[in-house]
Structure formats: structure tokens, C-alpha cells
Amino acid sequence: MANVNYYIKKNKGISSIYARLTHGYNIDVSSRTNLSVPAEFWDTKNKKVRKVLKIDYDFINKKLEEIKYSVLDTFNKDFTQGRKIDKNWLSDTILFFYGHEPKSRTAHTLFFTDFCKWWMKEKAPTHKSSRYKLLSEVNKKYYKKIYPNIRGI
């Protein structure tokens, strides 16, 4: 069963409130809620803002409840469809709750052949094949010879 809890990281001053989503032993992710509270007004046991007159505790506690139900609802939909649930998912879900566009993330892809080309140019000349010996010219020729075969795979 999925669960959402809240916590803060600081013990003094203004602290951001973080949401933590857990589901069994497989999923345990945290993200900022973009809400802040003075640390002395945070109730660690009940995981919400204490009832004090200095801040609008009722507004923050209601927002935390709304975020919780929004995250759980979205989790149920996405988890059953097989989507990846991670820190980025939680962060995007919280941003979507506030009506903001999720951050666009582009994955950097590094192909093995690109790495081989870079390694032969940058690292092979100074690579030690044993404690005192640099990579021999025979080995360098061999690697240069098999590189075109790797590209064809």
C-alpha cells in the first residue's frame, strides 16, 4: 500500500517541507513540496504544522492533505500502467498539482563506439597495461583493428 508522509530537514529557521512516497520495499522517493515552515512550528510526530497563531497553519496543512491525495491518485493510475515511479515522477506530480508544467528531462546517451573512439584518442597513450609499462603498440593496433568490427554490431 502506498503512503505519503512529510518531513523537514532543518531544526532551526525556515525549512522546506518534503514529501516521501513509499510503497512496500520497492519504492521510497522524496521531493520538495515547495511549501516552507519555521522549523519550531513543525510537528514531527503528526507530520504537519502545529496550531500556532503566528502562521496560517490551517492553509499549509490543507495543502499537504491535498498534495497527499493528488500524489496517491496519480500513483495508482501510473503504477498500474507500469510507469516508472522515481524522484523525478514525484517532483513532476507535485508541480502538476500546483498547475505548473513538469520539468523536461532529456537523457544523455553515450554509445559504446563513441566511448571506444574517445578512449583510443585520449586514454590509450597513457594507459598502463601493467605496473610500469604503457599499452604496447601491438595492443593499440589490435584495438584499432577491432573498433570497426564493434561499429558493425
Side-chain angles (χ1 to χ4, degrees), residues 109-148:
T109 306
L110 177 67
F111 292 102
F112 183 65
T113 54
D114 295 336
F115 172 76
C116 290
K117 185 191 280 184
W118 170 83
W119 192 86
M120 287 301 296
K121 182 180 176 187
E122 301 291 329
K123 294 294 180 181
T126 60
H127 179 72
K128 291 184 178 181
S129 59
S130 67
R131 189 171 180 179
Y132 300 108
K133 289 173 44 177
L134 292 174
L135 196 60
S136 70
E137 290 301 319
V138 173
N139 284 339
K140 288 180 190 176
K141 286 180 185 177
Y142 173 75
Y143 290 132
K144 287 179 183 177
K145 180 181 173 185
I146 65 168
Y147 173 73

Side-chain angles (χ1 to χ4, degrees), residues 85-97:
I85 309 296
D86 60 3
K87 181 182 172 97
N88 293 333
W89 176 90
L90 182 57
S91 177
D92 289 346
T93 302
I94 291 170
L95 284 174
F96 186 74
F97 168 79

Side-chain angles (χ1 to χ4, degrees), residues 40-98:
E40 68 255 19
F41 300 143
W42 181 253
D43 185 355
T44 306
K45 182 180 176 186
N46 295 321
K47 298 172 176 53
K48 62 182 183 179
V49 181
R50 290 190 182 117
K51 295 180 180 180
V52 292
L53 297 175
K54 293 183 179 180
I55 59 171
D56 192 358
Y57 66 88
D58 198 36
F59 171 79
I60 297 173
N61 288 336
K62 282 182 183 178
K63 280 295 177 194
L64 292 175
E65 282 297 311
E66 291 172 8
I67 291 170
K68 178 179 183 174
Y69 292 120
S70 176
V71 167
L72 290 174
D73 185 47
T74 308
F75 172 82
N76 288 331
K77 293 173 187 172
D78 290 351
F79 185 77
T80 56
Q81 292 176 356
R83 293 205 175 109
K84 182 180 177 184
I85 309 296
D86 60 3
K87 181 182 172 97
N88 293 333
W89 176 90
L90 182 57
S91 177
D92 289 346
T93 302
I94 291 170
L95 284 174
F96 186 74
F97 168 79
Y98 289 119

Side-chain angles (χ1 to χ4, degrees), residues 6-35:
Y6 298 102
Y7 66 95
I8 62 172
K9 290 186 177 180
K10 291 183 182 179
N11 291 330
K12 293 181 180 178
I14 303 294
S15 181
S16 295
I17 301 173
Y18 290 81
R20 179 179 180 195
L21 171 69
T22 57
H23 183 256
Y25 294 107
N26 298 329
I27 298 172
D28 188 354
V29 294
S30 298
S31 181
R32 289 175 56 167
T33 61
N34 299 317
L35 295 172

